[in-house]
Amino acid sequence: MLSHNVDVLAGLLDYADAYIYIIDQDTHMFLYRNQAAHDLTGDLLCPEMRCHEALFEDRDECSWCPLKHLAESDGHFEDDIYVKKLQKWLHFTVFATKSAGHKSAAFYVRDVTRQKQQELLFENTLQELLEVNPVALCAFRMNLTTNVCQNSHGTSRYTLNLVQGATVDG
């Protein structure tokens, strides 16, 4: 029964819209990868190939390696990283685990390039708004729960710091 469940879960992971893989933390070798990760590495992957060799065709460990961050944290790491070789922004969610007796790390990686491009466009638009209207204190971003001063001129930053902690109610 257990082996059937493992096969079902592996099948589900193959349909995920993300790169999902497990790496031995000491050797950096793959212990598992879903279909998307397999498609990314293709036939380049051989049993003795480390993750940075298979994914990025790089002999040296990546300078931004999530395993480094994982070692410095509480066993969980999450961040958006621009991978120059792929010319993509990838969101890494990584957590420490054990797999087949190995100290390993499970990776859930998704492409957030489009989202990052939209964020950059938004930032540029706010900056242009402040340049067009130089007397504006700042441009606000609203999310229906809080209003955040996104971009501001130096004067407005100074003014906002003077009233820090003040509320509308007094």
Side-chain angles (χ1 to χ4, degrees):
M1 180 72 169
L2 183 60
S3 65
H4 172 71
N5 289 340
V6 170
D7 291 340
V8 169
L9 289 174
L12 286 172
L13 292 176
D14 282 341
Y15 287 99
D17 189 20
Y19 309 115
I20 301 171
Y21 51 95
I22 299 173
I23 291 181
D24 184 297
Q25 285 192 41
D26 296 324
T27 65
H28 292 215
M29 291 186 189
F30 285 90
L31 300 173
Y32 168 81
R33 61 191 172 136
N34 74 339
Q35 187 62 48
H38 181 275
D39 292 345
L40 183 65
T41 59
D43 293 332
L44 291 173
L45 190 64
C46 59
E48 61 276 354
M49 193 175 269
R50 297 175 297 169
C51 58
H52 46 274
E53 294 169 328
L55 294 170
F56 309 112
E57 299 174 10
D58 199 342
R59 289 196 139 330
D60 297 321
E61 187 177 294
C62 303
S63 60
W64 50 267
C65 180
L67 293 177
K68 290 179 189 174
H69 298 289
L70 193 63
E72 299 164 359
S73 72
D74 60 353
H76 177 262
F77 169 76
E78 193 163 351
D79 200 5
D80 295 336
I81 298 172
Y82 184 74
V83 181
K84 192 173 185 175
K85 285 194 179 213
L86 298 176
Q87 294 185 343
K88 291 182 180 188
W89 278 96
L90 298 176
H91 181 82
F92 284 80
T93 302
V94 185
F95 63 92
T97 187
K98 284 202 180 276
S99 178
H102 296 271
K103 189 172 91 173
S104 57
F107 285 71
Y108 179 85
V109 183
R110 51 191 181 87
D111 185 346
V112 292
T113 304
R114 181 162 165 71
Q115 175 185 337
K116 286 293 187 181
Q117 290 169 339
Q118 293 299 318
E119 287 173 5
L120 182 60
L121 178 63
F122 179 77
E123 290 293 322
N124 290 339
T125 302
L126 282 179
Q127 195 56 43
E128 287 174 10
L129 176 64
L130 288 170
E131 289 171 8
V132 169
N133 188 1
V135 294
L137 281 178
C138 65
F140 283 91
R141 176 183 65 187
M142 299 175 67
N143 68 4
L144 302 180
T145 57
T146 57
N147 301 325
V148 179
C149 182
Q150 189 69 31
N151 290 21
S152 62
H153 298 293
T155 304
S156 61
R157 277 188 226 117
Y158 173 76
T159 305
L160 290 171
N161 285 335
L162 288 178
V163 294
Q164 197 171 35
T167 64
V168 176
D169 299 329

